[in-house]
Amino acid sequence: YLPRDHMPLTDAETALIDGFSNEYKLAGDALLHEIEESVCGCAYGASSWTTREEADTAADMLGLAPGRRLLDVGTGCGWPGLYLASASGCEAMLLDLPFSGLQAAARRAAEDDTAGRCQPVRADAGAIPFADNSFDAIHHSDVLCCLEAKLDVLRECRRVLRPTGAMVFSVLAICPGLSKTEAEKAADTGPAFVDTPFDYVTMLEMVNWRITKHIDVSAGFLQTADTLIEEEERHALRLAALRGDARQGQRLATLRKRREGVSSGLICREVYQVAPVRE
């Protein structure tokens, strides 16, 4: 199978991926695991806002079980794909671009004795290197708001999912009904590519997905963000030594800005459960 033609990554996307790659190189650090355990309830090197409770809910929504095949898009260091595979017994393909994250995922899979069921795959989510109808379930956590080619990713996920399968994903999005000034402020407080030409309901319809469940989880996001910010402030000196002063300062500023965007009603976090439109 050869993936379809895909536009190369933009400079902005490349810079964002480099940032994630640098963070993934710290995977396994004891302090970061301690913080993540407090924030998410698991320690896999998470780069999304997904908690263990949310991952368990996603596993139920996807019907994960032994023998089922999961694609975890934008897996980072393997969260939550590795956890979902470990908890449910399913097989998992862990897809992302930063090599450092995939290396960390491979190490964790070996430690958890799930390497035989979990395979890291280095590929662009806009050109997934698998044949049509390859997976029973697809999951991605806060990925679409961190890339430009949203429709390409949604279209590719639709292609590789079996007709009876389901996809569950979370995303940060600009709240509907904002004025132009508010929308511009929302774009500034959100992730790099939070602004979209169409809302997610429209984009899903455009590429033949039907929404089976749509949940606003902004309140949970605020609780998670508060805990993360508190932990990062409490360990500020040690984290600055780990990441560097400038990088840690920028990280904290971004976290506070993201939280402010959601608390002020400019940004929301949503979870979608979708299924392919039967043709």
Side-chain angles (χ1 to χ4, degrees), residues 45-63:
S47 56
S48 74
W49 295 97
T50 297
T51 63
R52 179 173 179 171
E53 180 181 4
E54 189 176 299
D56 287 337
T57 299
D60 290 339
M61 294 168 75
L62 291 168

Side-chain angles (χ1 to χ4, degrees):
Y1 166 73
L2 295 175
R4 60 170 179 73
D5 292 337
H6 179 64
M7 294 292 291
L9 297 173
T10 65
D11 290 344
E13 285 178 308
T14 300
L16 191 64
I17 289 169
D18 288 345
F20 281 124
S21 182
N22 288 332
E23 186 69 13
Y24 297 151
K25 290 174 183 177
L26 304 177
D29 180 85
L31 175 58
L32 295 184
H33 274 204
E34 177 188 330
I35 292 172
E36 187 180 345
E37 188 73 44
S38 298
V39 175
C40 296
C42 281
Y44 283 79
S47 56
S48 74
W49 295 97
T50 297
T51 63
R52 179 173 179 171
E53 180 181 4
E54 189 176 299
D56 287 337
T57 299
D60 290 339
M61 294 168 75
L62 291 168
L64 297 181
R68 290 180 66 80
R69 199 161 185 242
L70 168 70
L71 175 64
D72 188 37
V73 177
T75 196
C77 296
W79 175 253
L82 285 174
Y83 171 78
L84 293 172
S86 180
S88 71
C90 75
E91 300 175 13
M93 290 291 178
L94 312 170
L95 186 144
D96 213 336
L97 282 171
F99 187 62
S100 57
L102 297 175
Q103 285 180 310
R107 290 194 298 267
R108 181 60 183 266
E111 292 171 7
D112 292 350
D113 199 25
T114 58
R117 292 187 286 110
C118 299
Q119 181 180 342
V121 178
R122 191 165 189 257
D124 185 343
I128 297 174
F130 292 102
D132 297 0
N133 307 320
S134 292
F135 297 95
D136 300 294
I138 298 176
H139 186 266
H140 42 102
S141 301
D142 308 320
V143 170
L144 292 176
C145 45
C146 293
L147 49 80
E148 288 192 88
K150 296 171 175 53
L151 283 173
D152 285 350
V153 173
L154 290 172
R155 189 177 291 111
E156 281 290 89
C157 288
R158 170 70 178 80
R159 180 183 63 77
V160 301
L161 185 68
R162 290 170 183 149
T164 56
M167 179 169 74
V168 171
F169 68 93
S170 58
V171 68
L172 288 161
I174 294 177
C175 293
L178 300 182
S179 68
K180 181 179 179 181
T181 300
E182 289 171 331
E184 290 173 352
K185 185 176 180 181
D188 181 61
T189 63
F193 305 108
V194 70
D195 198 10
T196 61
F198 308 101
D199 60 51
Y200 280 94
V201 172
T202 300
M203 284 192 285
L204 288 163
E205 290 174 350
M206 288 170 68
V207 290
N208 292 326
W209 290 101
R210 59 184 177 89
I211 298 170
T212 53
K213 190 171 290 187
H214 179 197
I215 311 166
D216 189 304
V217 292
S218 301
F221 168 89
L222 289 175
Q223 293 177 355
T224 303
D226 285 341
T227 304
L228 179 56
I229 291 168
E230 180 182 329
E231 288 292 310
E232 295 254 344
E233 290 174 339
R234 186 160 69 92
H235 298 289
L237 292 177
R238 292 170 63 188
L239 290 171
L242 182 66
R243 293 186 174 114
D245 288 337
R247 189 167 144 202
Q248 178 59 23
Q250 180 59 49
R251 176 178 169 83
L252 262 174
T254 298
L255 290 174
R256 292 175 184 137
K257 183 169 68 171
R258 197 81 75 246
R259 191 215 178 278
E260 174 60 25
V262 175
S263 66
S264 60
L266 299 174
I267 300 291
C268 59
R269 185 167 183 264
E270 304 170 300
V271 170
Y272 288 87
Q273 179 190 47
V274 299
V277 172
R278 299 292 180 88
E279 297 178 353

